[in-house]
Amino acid sequence: MQKISLAEAVKLKSVLSKRIHELEEEMDRLAFVEIEKGSKIPKQIRSLSDVEKDIDEIRKDFRLLDKLMYEANIINTILFHDESLTIVEAIELATQLRAKARKYKEYGTALKEEYSYSYTESVSIIKVAMFDPETYRLQGLELEKQANRLSNLINAKNYEVQLDFNSEKYF
């Protein structure tokens, strides 16, 4: 059986999805014809059932590829900060690290104190940060680096892991 890397599988899944969409559009074009009443129906190069068979075949491959990818993402692990994570956990952790980094960097742009708008001229309202913005800015940058490192480890693992899938029809 031919093998492809998990990284190639990710790309192939996108290719298959696009191809299914194209075939569905072809079905729409073939399903109906507009002709003058009494005219002969024009000959079509491909029939609706031909396209349906193609879609069914691609959908079957898509399901198999999806299953193989899910299995690979659960079985294979990555070592990050002395912790073994499955690929699926690593992907989620990278997403969470990016979200945390984004929030920390947002706080990192805040002023320690700033005047807020007041409803009256006699009262001054000051908005005070209950944290050190610079500390959050630096932590945000560090979290972003960690997320990038983890993403690189995931990408490397995706090229290392091989799936039993024949991609010759598509690549």
Side-chain angles (χ1 to χ4, degrees):
M1 164 76 53
Q2 186 186 12
K3 294 184 180 277
I4 63 169
S5 71
L6 185 53
E8 290 171 313
V10 170
K11 293 173 191 160
L12 180 54
K13 217 173 134 181
S14 175
V15 167
L16 295 180
S17 183
K18 182 180 177 194
R19 183 68 183 130
I20 289 168
H21 181 72
E22 290 169 354
L23 288 169
E24 287 173 341
E25 288 176 349
E26 184 178 357
M27 282 181 72
D28 291 342
R29 288 189 306 274
L30 293 173
F32 304 96
V33 293
E34 291 184 9
I35 59 169
E36 187 176 322
K37 189 171 182 164
S39 297
K40 188 175 179 184
I41 294 179
K43 177 85 172 126
Q44 295 176 322
I45 296 171
R46 286 173 32 106
S47 70
L48 194 55
S49 63
D50 292 336
V51 180
E52 289 172 0
K53 287 175 190 170
D54 288 351
I55 289 178
D56 288 344
E57 185 179 321
I58 293 171
R59 284 182 172 151
K60 184 178 179 185
D61 285 345
F62 189 95
R63 288 191 308 273
L64 174 60
L65 190 59
D66 214 25
K67 178 184 123 184
L68 294 172
M69 289 173 67
Y70 278 111
E71 287 173 349
N73 283 336
I74 292 170
I75 293 169
N76 293 282
T77 60
I78 293 169
L79 188 63
F80 183 69
H81 291 269
D82 297 324
E83 183 180 0
S84 181
L85 302 168
T86 63
I87 295 174
V88 72
E89 289 174 304
I91 291 169
E92 181 57 31
L93 178 57
T95 302
Q96 291 173 359
L97 287 171
R98 289 191 196 293
K100 191 173 182 179
R102 185 177 56 252
K103 182 51 88 175
Y104 279 28
K105 286 169 71 176
E106 178 185 318
Y107 284 164
T109 64
L111 298 174
K112 186 67 179 160
E113 287 185 5
E114 68 179 294
Y115 285 97
S116 291
Y117 294 103
S118 177
Y119 294 111
T120 66
E121 292 179 19
S122 61
V123 177
S124 293
I125 303 293
I126 298 175
K127 179 179 173 182
V128 180
M130 302 299 290
F131 58 91
D132 178 24
E134 181 60 11
T135 299
Y136 270 82
R137 185 186 75 78
L138 294 173
Q139 287 177 338
L141 292 172
E142 180 55 34
L143 286 167
E144 193 171 58
K145 285 180 192 174
Q146 288 180 29
N148 290 337
R149 271 186 237 125
L150 183 52
S151 290
N152 287 341
L153 291 171
I154 293 166
N155 286 338
K157 183 59 99 171
N158 283 347
Y159 280 100
E160 181 183 310
V161 173
Q162 295 293 307
L163 306 178
D164 290 326
F165 188 85
N166 185 355
S167 63
E168 284 182 2
K169 292 186 280 186
Y170 308 108
F171 284 144

